[in-house]
């Protein structure tokens, strides 16, 4: 029995027998495992004060890293034998890295700090064998940096938190009505104008409270390159999202010609300071298409398809185009939009959105990339190669899989981590349904309606962190943790059916995991409820009562 999260497939360890790690413990890395070698010295070694000098393959007091093509790509085997040290074998460099994450957990909370707190303490790994492999290829976290900007260091920190939980896809929500967060050199006003709003509503959109100061920020192209490289070192794929044709007021504020100028005075629009579904959507014109082709050309250079060459999951080259919550009122009123519908012989505005999505699907496919979008892209017909993020429940994912499309399951009712974690007035800015730690632990990504070949279209699952009411990193931590740990186990481990899952054992292992989170500086929600300083009394939310609809 171990306290490892996510739970491994098989573990036979003996806490009464241990393999010591000390200043004389060497580190030997076979070809192809250099990334994990660097991580062990720079992260684990720094935390415990162990130098891990280079050693020989047959050194009995060593940690050895090697590849083993008999294992699945992301699988690993961790052996710790007294007198023979510890060895991590992986089916790919990613598998070796995930094995190193398990090794870190076995060494206790001190292994999660940045410098030794007990320099003279003895460190040891329980003797035994752990064999493990993930259930899903896509184990994702969607981070919304458009509503509230997260500086680069915060994003790098979240990549480390993802790696510690064996999550391997960062869905990076970079643009929305409330802010454009990525530098595009040919369109400088996207960040000069589009990355700042004059004020921000504090709480849900029904709240009367405002923070009357500018909010914003953006990532330079070198910041993005650094984020992508940092993620790749941790075998995490970064999937950028540029939202079209809805959620686009920040872009329209910067370049008014992108909007429906025959319906709205787009030159008067500013970056939106409110929440909700915005009526100002992109115009379906050639000008808009050429503009966003220019955006995507720079995006593809910043997010190369082969950025993660040793991920092992096969998740690479995706570009998310949003496609959700696109009101059609302006298109209905726009002579230009109606002329486009007639020109293309479309049935209406839904098919116009499908044409818009299909244009960029063909454009990305021609460049060796793959489009993914929210499940609204199913409306009006879906391009053949596109994949779907199923957020409005399971139905979109079921329909997409039945039609032969790959799916990432992220239903709002189950894994939207902006939803409140408990009932009651203490929960800060309560949004949506109550989704407890146990609720997330019992989330099942593959619905019973899918089996066989159709079930194989479920690439995996993703937890989404929308930040309308998360004004800083502490609030993101509170909403994400500890539920992200439960989600990580759902996405990685071969769990039984939801009702049969041993939540009591997960809670037992979380007792140890809270110590790791504290050592990492994660300001999680305590199991007993929020600390006084985590509450937001008087800030209006939007709680929904009762169980969420499936």
């Amino acid at each position: 029995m171990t306290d490892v999260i996510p739970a491994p497939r098989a573990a036979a360890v003996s806490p009464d027998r241990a393999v010591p790690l000390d200043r004389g413990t060497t580190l030997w890395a076979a070809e192809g495992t250099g990334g994990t070698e660097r991580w062990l010295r720079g992260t684990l070694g720094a935390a415990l004060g162990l130098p891990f000098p280079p050693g020989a393959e047959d050194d009995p007091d060593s940690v050895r890293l090697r590849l083993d093509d008999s294992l699945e790509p992301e699988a690993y085997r961790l052996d710790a034998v007294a007198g023979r040290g510890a060895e991590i074998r992986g089916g790919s460099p990613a598998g070796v890295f995930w094995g190193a994450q398990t090794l870190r957990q076995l060494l206790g909370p001190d292994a999660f700090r940045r410098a030794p707190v007990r320099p003279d303490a003895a460190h040891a790994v329980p003797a035994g064998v752990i064999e493990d492999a993930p259930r899903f290829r896509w184990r994702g976290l969607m981070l919304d940096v458009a509503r509230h900007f997260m500086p680069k260091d915060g994003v790098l920190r979240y990549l480390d938190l993802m790696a510690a939980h064996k999550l391997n896809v960062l869905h990076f929500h970079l643009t929305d009505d409330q802010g454009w967060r990525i530098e595009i050199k040919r369109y400088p006003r996207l960040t000069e104008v589009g990355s700042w709003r004059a004020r921000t509503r504090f709480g849900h959109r029904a709240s009367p409270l405002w923070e009357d100061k500018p909010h914003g920020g953006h990532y330079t192209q070198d910041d993005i390159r650094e984020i992508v490289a940092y993620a790749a070192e941790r075998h995490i794929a970064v999937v950028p999202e540029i939202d079209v044709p809805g959620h686009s007021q920040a872009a329209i504020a910067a370049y008014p010609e992108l909007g429906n100028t025959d319906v709205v005075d787009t030159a008067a629009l500013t970056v939106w300071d409110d929440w909700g579904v915005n009526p100002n959507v992109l115009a379906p014109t050639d000008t808009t298409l050429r503009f966003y082709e220019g955006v995507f050309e720079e995006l593809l250079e910043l997010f190369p398809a082969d950025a993660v060459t040793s991920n092992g999951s096969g998740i690479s080259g995706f570009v998310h185009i949003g496609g959700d919550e696109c009101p059609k009122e302006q298109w209905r009123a726009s002579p230009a939009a109606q002329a486009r519908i007639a020109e293309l012989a479309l049935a209406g505005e839904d098919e116009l959105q499908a044409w818009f999505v299909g244009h960029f699907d063909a454009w990305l496919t021609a460049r060796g990339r793959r489009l993914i979008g929210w499940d609204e892209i199913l409306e009006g017909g879906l391009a053949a190669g596109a994949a779907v993020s199923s957020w409005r429940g399971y139905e979109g994912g079921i329909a997409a899989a039945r039609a032969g499309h790959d799916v990432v399951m992220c239903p709002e009712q189950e894994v939207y981590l902006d939803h409140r974690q408990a009932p009651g007035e203490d929960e800060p800015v309560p949004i949506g349904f109550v989704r407890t730690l146990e609720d997330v632990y019992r989330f099942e990504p593959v619905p019973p309606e899918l089996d066989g070949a159709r079930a194989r279209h479920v690439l995996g699952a993703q937890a989404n962190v929308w930040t309308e009411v998360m004004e800083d990193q502490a609030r993101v931590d509170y909403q994400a943790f500890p539920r992200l740990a439960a989600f990580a186990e759902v996405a990685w481990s071969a769990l039984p059916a939801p009702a049969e899952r041993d939540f009591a054992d997960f809670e037992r292992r979380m007792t140890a995991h809270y110590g790791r989170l504290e050592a990492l500086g994660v300001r999680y929600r305590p199991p007993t409820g929020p600390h006084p300083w985590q509450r937001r009394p008087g800030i209006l939310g939007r709680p929904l009562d009762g169980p969420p609809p499936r």
Side-chain angles (χ1 to χ4, degrees):
M1 183 178 291
T2 72
D3 292 324
V4 173
I5 290 177
R9 285 190 179 180
V13 299
S14 303
D16 55 331
R17 292 188 298 119
V19 175
L21 299 184
D22 54 36
R23 294 187 64 81
T25 300
T26 62
L27 179 57
W28 178 83
E31 184 177 356
T33 65
T36 301
E37 178 187 18
R38 290 189 295 273
W39 182 87
L40 282 169
R41 285 203 180 95
T43 301
L44 189 61
L48 302 179
L50 301 179
F52 290 124
E57 183 177 1
D58 57 356
D59 188 341
D61 182 16
S62 68
V63 175
R64 299 177 299 281
L65 311 175
R66 65 176 82 240
L67 300 178
D68 184 342
D69 60 10
S70 70
L71 299 174
E72 300 170 44
E74 289 191 276
Y76 68 88
R77 176 185 171 103
L78 170 59
D79 287 271
V81 180
R84 289 194 290 169
E87 179 171 283
I88 301 171
R89 294 175 176 264
S92 70
V96 176
F97 184 71
W98 304 135
Q101 297 300 323
T102 295
L103 176 70
R104 186 191 197 187
Q105 290 198 22
L106 295 173
L107 287 163
D110 283 358
F112 289 80
R113 296 190 178 274
R114 295 191 181 184
V117 294
R118 278 169 278 275
D120 299 325
H123 306 291
V125 181
V129 179
I130 295 177
E131 295 179 299
D132 203 3
R135 178 186 179 190
F136 290 111
R137 295 161 52 200
W138 186 301
R139 307 179 301 279
L141 172 68
M142 193 288 303
L143 188 59
D144 168 20
V145 296
R147 271 52 178 270
H148 278 99
F149 179 64
M150 180 178 284
K152 180 193 68 179
D153 286 352
V155 177
L156 300 179
R157 173 178 177 266
Y158 258 82
L159 288 167
D160 282 329
L161 292 172
M162 290 175 65
H165 293 83
K166 300 184 176 74
L167 298 174
N168 71 338
V169 179
L170 173 64
H171 173 173
F172 209 12
H173 184 79
L174 290 163
T175 73
D176 218 294
D177 299 302
Q178 297 85 0
W180 183 285
R181 303 296 179 215
I182 181 170
E183 177 188 26
I184 301 297
K185 291 187 180 295
R186 74 187 70 185
Y187 304 127
R189 287 177 58 84
L190 286 172
T191 48
E192 291 170 359
V193 174
S195 69
W196 293 93
R197 58 179 181 263
R199 63 175 188 167
T200 299
R201 188 181 293 279
F202 202 50
H204 181 255
R205 60 181 176 270
S207 169
L209 303 177
W210 294 86
E211 185 177 40
D212 286 307
K213 68 176 184 180
H215 175 86
H218 73 275
Y219 309 106
T220 68
Q221 293 201 351
D222 280 347
D223 290 337
I224 293 293
R225 292 184 181 99
E226 181 182 357
I227 288 167
V228 170
Y230 195 84
E233 278 281 304
R234 286 146 185 80
H235 304 279
I236 296 171
V238 183
V239 175
E241 180 181 355
I242 303 294
D243 215 335
V244 295
H247 288 287
S248 297
Q249 182 159 319
I252 297 169
Y255 291 92
E257 64 271 22
L258 298 175
N260 294 283
T261 57
D262 54 350
V263 177
V264 178
D265 179 10
T266 56
L269 295 176
T270 60
V271 177
W272 206 27
D273 58 11
D274 211 344
W275 315 126
V277 179
N278 189 297
N280 294 299
V281 303
L282 297 174
T285 63
D286 289 343
T287 296
T288 300
L289 297 181
R290 300 294 87 76
F291 182 96
Y292 275 89
E293 286 171 3
V295 169
F296 284 121
E297 281 177 6
E298 293 194 25
L299 196 81
L300 298 193
E301 188 273 326
L302 296 170
F303 296 89
D306 60 352
V308 184
T309 57
S310 54
N311 183 284
S313 68
I315 302 299
S316 64
F318 280 91
V319 175
H320 207 291
I321 56 88
D324 62 318
E325 297 179 328
C326 178
K328 308 298 192 298
E329 287 78 11
Q330 290 186 2
W331 287 354
R332 293 189 185 100
S334 165
Q338 293 302 310
R340 179 69 91 178
I341 290 172
E343 171 196 342
L344 298 170
L346 302 177
E349 290 76 22
D350 283 347
E351 285 195 7
L352 182 62
Q353 179 169 343
W355 165 82
F356 200 104
V357 171
H359 174 87
F360 286 104
D361 179 60
W363 191 92
L364 290 166
T365 298
R367 288 154 181 82
R369 298 307 189 91
R370 196 162 174 208
L371 180 145
I372 184 168
W374 303 110
D375 54 53
E376 284 95 330
I377 68 174
L378 289 163
E379 297 168 3
L382 181 58
V388 169
S389 301
S390 186
W391 76 274
R392 295 180 299 177
Y394 288 92
E395 287 72 18
I398 293 168
R402 284 174 171 167
H405 298 282
D406 287 339
V407 178
V408 176
M409 286 293 186
C410 48
E412 175 185 17
Q413 304 90 336
E414 305 289 344
V415 288
Y416 267 37
L417 300 187
D418 50 313
H419 281 216
R420 57 191 174 133
Q421 302 184 63
E425 296 182 356
D426 285 346
E427 207 61 28
V429 199
I431 298 294
F433 297 101
V434 172
R435 292 288 84 190
T436 66
L437 183 67
E438 182 172 1
D439 290 330
V440 174
Y441 190 67
R442 298 193 189 281
F443 163 58
E444 173 49 49
V446 181
E449 292 88 340
L450 298 179
D451 56 16
R454 289 172 174 169
R456 286 193 287 275
H457 280 294
V458 179
L459 296 176
Q462 181 172 285
N464 291 347
V465 178
W466 298 104
T467 61
E468 288 95 331
V469 299
M470 298 180 216
E471 71 276 9
D472 56 29
Q473 184 173 278
R475 283 285 292 125
V476 174
D477 280 5
Y478 180 91
Q479 293 298 136
F481 289 97
R483 292 183 297 180
L484 192 62
F487 170 81
E489 183 148 310
V490 169
W492 176 278
S493 304
L495 298 177
E500 299 167 8
R501 293 175 188 173
D502 190 348
F503 181 68
D505 178 68
F506 178 75
E507 282 190 303
R508 176 192 66 78
R509 288 180 286 120
M510 277 302 302
T511 301
H513 201 63
Y514 286 123
R516 300 173 191 136
L517 295 178
E518 288 164 8
L520 286 166
V522 177
R523 285 155 284 191
Y524 61 86
R525 181 190 189 276
T528 54
H531 293 297
W533 56 86
Q534 291 175 318
R535 299 169 186 160
R536 296 291 188 276
I539 307 301
L540 188 65
R542 185 181 63 96
L544 299 174
D545 295 325
R550 187 173 180 279

